[in-house]
Amino acid sequence: MNGARQAIEWTSGLIDRGRAHFAHRDVDEVQMEVYDLALSTAEIHAARAMLDFADLPAPSDEASFKRSLANLFCADTLATVVGRLQSRPTAFGLHPRHFDGRPPSFIDEHLKPTNIAAIGQTVRHRQGRPPDDHLGEEKSLMRDTFRQFAEEQVVPLAEDIHRNDRVIPDAIIDGLRGLGCFGLSVPARYGGLKPDDREDSLGMVVVTEELSRGSLGAAGSLITRPEIMARAVLEGGTDAQKARWLPGIAAGDPLVAISVTEPGTGSDVASVALRATPAGDGKSGWILNGGKTWCTFAGKAGALLVLARTDPNAMPPHRGLSLFVVSKPGSDGQTFTVDSPMGGRLTGRAIPTIGYRGMHSFELFFDDFAVPGDALVGEAGGRGRGFYYTMSGFSGGRLQTAARACGLMRAAFDRALEYAEQRRVFDRSVAEYPLTLQKLARMAATIAACQQFSYAVARTMDGGNGQLEASLVKLIACRAAEWITREAMQIHGGLGYAEESDVSRYFVDARVLSIFEGTEETLALKVVGKALLP
């Protein structure tokens, strides 16, 4: 794999030159260029993760398959990144001489149509079975458990939930409660599954991947909100609040939702305007006023984690934000009204969407809605710390979104291969044609790379780092999910466009991944971009 590594590092050098060219520049002045650098950086990181994976010891046939996928992914990455930079080199501070030594032989060798088709044949012979993931016995058992649950409990209900826009049924939620799924980010001392002395992001990734393989909307996203809320409470909650809220989160009772986004702010969390003012008149508590949007699962949830502005004059503005846990009755409806016992009203309305159905995302409006003083995360010490507590949960949410993308890709790939083997066109199965073989090979290589990158980031986060890498893996995995679900639909031909086919659901579900948990543009510019520019 030395040739691949050398080629990847040579390409990384081009990116570094581009970074140096924009040193000390305002990201907003060079958005297009920084966006391209961020995507290129994500692709290079994924290629490195894939090469590390290919170097792990394995039986000869398995090792050969891993190397072939790694070389294919690296060659595709090199062609994409170099082409992106070479198309307008001066924009990145590059000169034609900087492209001297470009590794054309590596690219040409591994992107030969016959080579790619041969990998596709191997994929067929393995009946789509991916390479060994090297996760070990514990995580393999976890994967098998949740894969079985997804196949038996989620898949049979997924189409009905999507096509009829139903809320996730209790059969799925109760089953996941029984498996302890909601406690993956809650320490064992509070009734969760996470060890008290360390993180287990890798376990969360494995579970999310398998549930998303069953259905993104009906299962794959159920543990994202508990993950974010648990991390925020662990980061900022008082001892009493942790003891009160975390066992419930772990048990899935109440179910929870995260209310951050507002109609006018989108991913600009620091600009949140929903107001929280002290109750006054000698009363303890807070009064919430304003609107929120895209609050996923708000109807079914019995607790909302709400980001609100407690200090309108704080500078910078994000220092005026605080987090509140708002209790409410759960509802299966697509509208709800809650009257606070302390006064005021909360109303919610589900937003119709083309996909990602089952959880429902809501518009919310707080009208003088009163909450007790201990609803403020951290109480007095948490005032003005809401932005930081929220961000502590978002890195895990971004990694989890990458895992959701991987599960969705795998489901789409499996259906595409199955259909390609069965469908005959001009006296041959669709799977036998070279172009289909090349599609299958590229899909398999991309899925494996995104999986291995997500596992690598999980391990890094378990070591206390990886916040930037979580954004990088979300960037590439979510874009890849759109492409792979599109290819799966294309392999199905006209049937893929019919609502009755699973791949049509995968396609519309995939589209949301690059939007939530930080839009692609926000991550590329405001998170990755700022980190890239020295």
Side-chain angles (χ1 to χ4, degrees):
M1 305 302 294
N2 287 337
R5 288 193 183 277
Q6 291 172 2
I8 288 295
E9 295 313 312
W10 178 86
T11 307
S12 182
L14 295 178
I15 296 173
D16 288 341
R17 287 183 180 275
R19 292 176 56 194
H21 179 66
F22 297 114
H24 311 302
R25 293 284 297 275
D26 184 340
V27 169
D28 288 337
E29 294 177 358
V30 284
Q31 285 194 348
M32 185 173 179
E33 294 85 351
V34 171
Y35 179 81
D36 284 346
L37 288 177
L39 292 180
S40 299
T41 300
E43 290 158 350
I44 292 295
H45 273 68
R48 287 177 177 146
M50 191 61 176
L51 290 173
D52 291 342
F53 169 64
D55 283 341
L56 294 173
S60 58
D61 288 350
E62 192 73 12
S64 176
F65 183 52
K66 289 196 299 179
R67 286 195 298 269
S68 68
L69 292 178
N71 282 326
L72 174 56
F73 182 79
C74 288
D76 266 335
T77 296
L78 290 170
T80 298
V81 174
V82 173
R84 185 182 291 140
L85 300 177
Q86 200 168 23
S87 65
R88 46 197 184 97
T90 55
F92 300 97
L94 298 171
H95 186 274
R97 68 176 180 274
H98 292 138
F99 294 90
D100 293 343
R102 173 179 176 270
S105 59
F106 176 84
I107 296 175
D108 291 345
E109 175 185 357
H110 293 287
L111 293 189
K112 285 181 181 177
T114 52
N115 177 67
I116 303 174
I119 297 172
Q121 284 287 14
T122 302
V123 170
R124 287 185 68 201
H125 291 155
R126 295 171 62 96
Q127 296 180 310
R129 180 171 56 86
D132 182 16
D133 53 28
H134 295 275
L135 288 179
E137 184 177 353
E138 178 192 359
K139 295 300 184 289
S140 294
L141 178 60
M142 186 178 289
R143 180 186 295 285
D144 291 345
T145 299
F146 282 92
R147 177 174 295 175
Q148 180 179 0
F149 177 84
E151 290 176 351
E152 295 178 356
Q153 302 297 326
V154 179
V155 171
L157 301 175
E159 182 183 352
D160 179 62
I161 292 170
H162 170 75
R163 292 183 67 180
N164 295 298
D165 200 19
R166 303 190 191 282
V167 70
I168 300 174
D170 289 338
I172 292 176
I173 293 173
D174 290 343
L176 291 177
R177 283 182 176 130
L179 291 172
C181 184
F182 298 102
L184 287 166
S185 298
V186 177
R189 65 184 182 276
Y190 294 112
L193 295 183
K194 189 178 80 169
D196 286 330
D197 58 347
R198 58 184 171 85
E199 295 290 331
D200 187 17
S201 300
L202 186 55
M204 176 269 292
V205 164
V206 169
V207 171
T208 299
E209 193 178 327
E210 290 306 322
L211 292 179
S212 299
R213 190 172 177 177
S215 170
L216 181 69
S221 294
L222 276 170
I223 59 177
T224 306
R225 272 134 287 280
E227 154 99 8
I228 295 173
M229 186 167 176
R231 289 185 180 275
V233 172
L234 285 167
E235 179 76 14
T238 65
D239 289 342
Q241 288 174 332
K242 293 174 186 176
R244 184 166 90 248
W245 292 330
L246 291 174
I249 295 174
D253 185 19
L255 300 168
V256 303
I258 310 300
S259 183
V260 172
T261 304
E262 296 183 1
T265 62
S267 295
D268 185 6
V269 176
S271 296
V272 160
L274 184 140
R275 303 185 312 279
T277 55
D281 295 330
K283 299 178 181 178
S284 64
W286 297 84
I287 307 297
L288 305 183
N289 275 289
K292 292 285 188 181
T293 193
W294 297 115
C295 183
T296 303
F297 219 35
K300 190 84 168 178
L304 309 178
L305 187 69
V306 180
L307 187 65
R309 185 164 298 282
T310 49
D311 185 352
N313 300 315
M315 294 301 295
H318 69 267
R319 292 183 177 174
L321 299 175
S322 302
L323 273 178
F324 295 83
V325 175
V326 176
S327 297
K328 59 173 282 295
S331 168
D332 284 347
Q334 298 199 24
T335 62
F336 65 82
T337 299
V338 177
D339 291 317
S340 169
M342 301 172 61
R345 174 169 289 184
L346 165 63
T347 55
R349 181 189 71 87
I351 303 168
T353 58
I354 61 172
Y356 191 50
R357 295 172 180 168
M359 301 195 77
H360 298 124
S361 292
F362 282 75
E363 292 179 335
L364 304 178
F365 186 74
F366 294 84
D367 183 11
D368 286 335
F369 191 83
V371 296
D374 60 2
L376 173 60
V377 176
E379 298 195 40
R383 185 168 179 173
R385 301 289 299 170
F387 177 84
Y388 305 101
Y389 301 156
T390 303
M391 291 300 105
S392 70
F394 272 14
S395 292
R398 288 164 185 166
L399 172 60
Q400 198 174 55
T401 300
R404 287 185 276 187
C406 290
L408 187 60
M409 285 189 270
R410 172 54 60 181
F413 174 82
D414 289 344
R415 293 293 183 276
L417 177 58
E418 179 183 13
Y419 182 81
E421 295 286 10
Q422 295 173 354
R423 174 74 164 129
R424 297 188 66 82
V425 177
F426 304 119
D427 297 324
R428 299 168 67 184
S429 73
V430 170
E432 294 179 61
Y433 286 93
L435 183 57
T436 306
L437 292 171
Q438 292 156 10
K439 286 176 182 286
L440 294 172
R442 281 193 156 106
M443 292 164 78
T446 300
I447 294 169
C450 290
Q451 281 182 313
Q452 292 306 315
F453 190 13
S454 68
Y455 299 159
V457 174
R459 293 184 180 103
T460 302
M461 291 188 70
D462 286 345
N465 298 302
Q467 283 68 35
L468 176 62
E469 288 81 359
S471 294
L472 290 171
V473 72
K474 181 184 184 299
L475 277 179
I476 186 171
C478 295
R479 287 173 65 89
E482 290 184 42
W483 170 69
I484 282 179
T485 54
R486 186 263 185 201
E487 288 291 80
M489 178 183 280
Q490 194 70 22
I491 287 172
H492 278 72
L495 181 60
Y497 198 64
E499 276 200 341
E500 67 189 75
S501 69
D502 290 337
V503 292
S504 68
R505 168 164 50 89
Y506 301 150
F507 182 71
V508 292
D509 280 354
R511 190 60 196 89
V512 76
L513 294 169
S514 291
I515 297 173
F516 64 16
E517 307 299 340
T519 64
E520 179 178 289
E521 294 77 12
T522 297
L523 292 185
L525 299 175
K526 301 299 185 181
V527 180
V528 177
K530 288 187 175 181
L532 290 179
L533 300 194

